[in-house]
Amino acid sequence: MSTSDAPTAQDEVADLLVELIRINTSNPTDPERPAAEWVAEKLDEVGIESQIIEAAPGRASTVARIAGKDSSRPPLLIHAHLDVVPADASEWSVDPFGGEVKDGYVWGRGAIDMKDMDAMVLSLVREWSRTGRQPDRDIVLAYVSDEEAGGRQGAHYLVDHHADLFADCTEAISEVGGYSISLNEQARVYTVQTAEKGINWLRLQAKNRPGHGSFVHPDNAVTQLAEAVSRVGSHEWPIVITDTVRALVEGLGQVLEKDLDPEKPDEWLPLLGGAARMIGATIRNTTNPTMLEAGYKHNVIPSTAEASIDCRFLPGQEESMLATIDELIGEHVTRETLVQDIAVETSFDGAMIDCMADALKAEDPTGVMLPYLMSGGTDAKSFSTLGMRCFGFSPLMLPPDLDFMALFHGIDERVPIDGLQFGVRVLDRLLMSC
């Protein structure tokens, strides 16, 4: 095939995404190794060398380096995870691992979290290699495992054991940013993730005397735990406006020509439509009970009861959050941290931010780029420990009526094909100039 006959990145991005969705990488049941090998094969087809690194059998990541025009400049890291959360096929209108194309969308688990970014970057570097184009500086690609379980066998492992592959990178881009939010028929913003909440997954445990279910039993471990869980789950955490949220609200006010007070979220959150679900969780800490376990028979009072709490804390808020939790659970319940990871925040300025804004503006002259704080977590938590500024920038232009946030870990996950092609064009502009 001649270069002129070869598909462009926009031509093949949807096909690559379909292929990748069909490789089931549900974490923890299905390993990422087949997807990591698929990425390596697609890179090898166009002459890009890569290496596959396993943290454990089957838990594999693929890493490659693309030479830029100016190798003296610090490289940019693009990291994207290969794993997805499981999907119950009975809840979906399509096979979640079928990679179906219909109604102008690619459907399937991972379509927006985050195999879309996997495919956009892969299609782009394949086009570069076929045409001889080079980005402005070196690009390090990391297609990683285990992000959906905290990254211990993915990004954390790479940082702990292969930091040399990323040591000279000063900036990184990845998921959940650069997507459009239609504020009204005229105003559209693109939110870039410059911060994310920290994670503290807790196990609460109550222990007391077991006994017969027919007795009076005031020291019931289940009751003690349930009361503690209720207090933690229903606690109204105070509003804390970070620098990132303040900048977002100020930007919204300028776009809409409104005087918005960051300290009054009821005024500005409704303006964000479906995105308010995520951004509304970034003005306070959150502590959500997610699992309960106790007992083994209906008429036996157990000696132990346990609960899982998903805690997410704002930058600088972890210690105060845990102190409040200790007060809420009381003296009869203990807590144990199962998974902990840092909050991340960088400022909304600098050359990379300017390049992102320019790339978006070139493809959507009416769009305005704003920062936001994400309520979840990404592999930026790992790579930021190497001194990189990390941004969520996986650009997509979305239909105004698409409830994008509901698709993350939701049913009928899908991404518009023209949105993917838009993302490819924006990333191409960004990486050729940043």
Side-chain angles (χ1 to χ4, degrees), residues 85-88 91-92 96 108-110 112-113 404-414:
V85 296
D88 182 349
E91 299 176 335
W92 288 55
R109 177 60 85 216
I112 55 102
D113 187 14
F404 186 58
M405 289 302 165
L407 300 178
F408 284 86
H409 298 189
I411 62 172
D412 286 342
E413 186 179 345
R414 60 198 182 275

Side-chain angles (χ1 to χ4, degrees), residues 141-430:
L141 303 179
Y143 287 84
V144 303
S145 60
D146 201 39
E147 191 273 348
E148 295 292 1
R152 298 296 166 183
Q153 294 183 314
H156 272 291
Y157 180 84
L158 293 176
V159 167
D160 290 342
H161 299 278
H162 299 277
D164 58 300
L165 297 175
F166 317 101
D168 50 351
C169 297
T170 54
E171 295 158 315
I173 62 172
S174 189
E175 61 179 327
V176 203
Y179 55 88
S180 65
I181 299 173
S182 295
L183 303 177
N184 54 45
E185 293 183 358
Q186 290 79 38
R188 182 166 49 239
V189 298
Y190 292 85
T191 50
V192 174
Q193 189 221 117
T194 58
E196 59 184 58
K197 294 173 85 172
I199 297 173
N200 206 312
W201 289 348
L202 300 180
R203 176 191 288 137
L204 303 186
Q205 186 179 79
K207 289 186 175 182
N208 224 307
R209 293 182 300 111
H212 197 286
S214 68
F215 295 170
V216 175
H217 205 97
D219 298 326
N220 189 319
V222 175
T223 303
Q224 292 170 339
L225 179 75
E227 290 173 346
V229 168
S230 179
R231 289 192 295 268
V232 171
S234 61
H235 181 69
E236 187 172 343
W237 293 93
I239 292 173
V240 177
I241 302 300
T242 61
D243 291 343
T244 300
V245 171
R246 191 172 301 279
L248 168 67
V249 178
E250 291 172 354
L252 284 174
Q254 293 172 8
V255 171
L256 296 172
E257 298 181 343
K258 293 178 179 287
D259 184 16
L260 301 176
D261 185 348
E263 303 288 344
K264 298 179 180 178
D266 289 345
E267 292 181 357
W268 52 267
L269 272 176
L271 303 174
L272 296 169
R277 182 181 293 109
M278 177 184 285
I279 294 174
T282 65
I283 59 174
R284 52 169 54 91
N285 301 322
T286 57
T287 49
N288 287 310
T290 56
M291 293 188 290
L292 294 168
E293 184 177 359
Y296 54 90
K297 199 172 188 298
H298 204 102
N299 62 349
V300 177
I301 295 171
S303 61
T304 303
E306 295 182 346
S308 297
I309 310 291
D310 185 345
C311 304
R312 308 290 175 125
F313 56 90
L314 296 169
Q317 291 288 306
E318 183 177 21
E319 288 187 11
S320 62
M321 180 194 70
L322 291 175
T324 300
I325 289 173
D326 287 341
E327 294 176 3
L328 292 170
I329 63 177
E331 60 179 341
H332 298 297
V333 177
T334 61
R335 67 169 171 88
E336 174 189 5
T337 296
L338 301 181
V339 174
Q340 189 277 342
D341 219 331
I342 60 173
V344 178
E345 188 168 30
T346 189
S347 55
F348 187 60
D349 57 18
M352 177 59 72
I353 290 293
D354 292 341
C355 286
M356 290 177 187
D358 290 344
L360 283 168
K361 204 76 172 176
E363 294 297 330
D364 182 4
T366 64
V368 176
M369 196 175 84
L370 298 176
Y372 89 108
L373 167 66
M374 195 182 75
S375 62
T378 75
D379 285 326
K381 296 183 185 305
S382 299
F383 291 114
S384 67
T385 63
L386 296 178
M388 301 178 210
R389 295 184 71 199
C390 293
F391 304 94
F393 191 73
S394 178
L396 293 170
M397 182 186 284
L398 301 169
D401 59 348
L402 181 66
D403 190 353
F404 186 58
M405 289 302 165
L407 300 178
F408 284 86
H409 298 189
I411 62 172
D412 286 342
E413 186 179 345
R414 60 198 182 275
V415 65
I417 293 173
D418 57 0
L420 290 170
Q421 293 170 337
F422 171 86
V424 165
R425 297 193 301 272
V426 172
L427 287 171
D428 195 18
R429 290 180 181 276
L430 171 68

Side-chain angles (χ1 to χ4, degrees), residues 16 19 37-47 122 126:
L16 291 174
E19 288 185 46
E37 291 177 346
W38 178 85
V39 170
E41 290 168 3
K42 293 299 180 182
L43 293 173
D44 185 62
E45 284 177 1
V46 294
L122 186 57
R126 281 165 58 87

Side-chain angles (χ1 to χ4, degrees), residues 7-10 12-13 16 38-50 62-68 76-78 117-135 137-143 173 423-425 427-428 431-432:
T8 66
Q10 292 187 73
E12 73 168 359
V13 62
L16 291 174
W38 178 85
V39 170
E41 290 168 3
K42 293 299 180 182
L43 293 173
D44 185 62
E45 284 177 1
V46 294
I48 299 174
E49 295 183 359
S50 64
T62 300
V63 181
R65 188 164 181 143
I66 311 295
L76 171 70
L77 170 64
I78 304 177
M117 182 67 163
D118 294 336
M120 286 192 289
V121 174
L122 186 57
S123 67
L124 192 55
V125 300
R126 281 165 58 87
E127 180 186 296
W128 291 348
S129 188
R130 286 190 294 255
T131 60
R133 296 176 66 218
Q134 285 184 290
R137 54 171 160 165
D138 287 7
I139 304 291
V140 177
L141 303 179
Y143 287 84
I173 62 172
V424 165
R425 297 193 301 272
L427 287 171
D428 195 18
L431 299 176
M432 285 294 163

